[in-house]
């Protein structure tokens, strides 16, 4: 995330049209990642709906659903924090 902002600021200094293209690529990438079947993302909810449909319309117990979504959220949060730390360390002069 930090490197994305750094790259965007470099592009903004050189070309405003390039910045719009960069923003469009970031948005498309975000849409694709959001549809991945990871818990806590839209793709994860689609998988839960698919499981429900395969079970003949019977819902999963709410505790199971909440556990899956909470574990996915924890995983994504940890990944995000790790990426922010890594990007920040890489931006520091060495």
């Amino acid at each position: 995330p930090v490197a994305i902002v750094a790259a965007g600021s470099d592009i903004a200094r050189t070309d405003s049209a390039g910045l719009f293209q960069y923003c469009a690529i970031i948005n498309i990438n975000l849409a694709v990642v959001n549809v991945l079947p990871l818990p806590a993302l839209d793709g994860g909810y689609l998988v839960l709906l698919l499981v429900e449909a395969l079970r003949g319309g019977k819902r999963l117990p709410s505790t199971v659903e909440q556990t899956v979504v909470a574990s996915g959220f924890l995983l994504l949060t940890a990944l995000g924090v790790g990426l922010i730390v890594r990007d920040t360390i890489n931006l520091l002069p060495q």
Side-chain angles (χ1 to χ4, degrees):
V2 176
I4 292 172
V5 173
S9 68
D10 289 342
I11 293 171
R13 281 190 213 112
T14 59
D15 183 23
S16 63
L19 181 62
F20 288 118
Q21 290 176 342
Y22 183 72
C23 290
I25 290 170
I26 295 296
N27 281 320
I28 291 169
N29 187 17
L30 182 61
V32 169
V33 169
N34 197 28
V35 177
L36 290 176
L38 298 172
L41 297 178
D42 289 340
Y45 287 110
L46 290 174
V47 169
L48 289 175
L49 287 174
L50 179 64
V51 168
E52 182 180 325
L54 291 174
R55 294 182 71 207
K58 291 192 302 184
R59 290 189 59 122
L60 287 172
S62 62
T63 55
V64 172
E65 191 173 330
Q66 289 173 354
T67 303
V68 168
V69 172
S71 65
F73 180 75
L74 181 64
L75 175 71
L76 291 173
T77 302
L79 180 66
V81 169
L83 289 174
I84 289 171
V85 170
R86 186 196 69 180
D87 286 352
T88 304
I89 290 171
N90 287 339
L91 285 177
L92 295 175
Q94 298 184 12

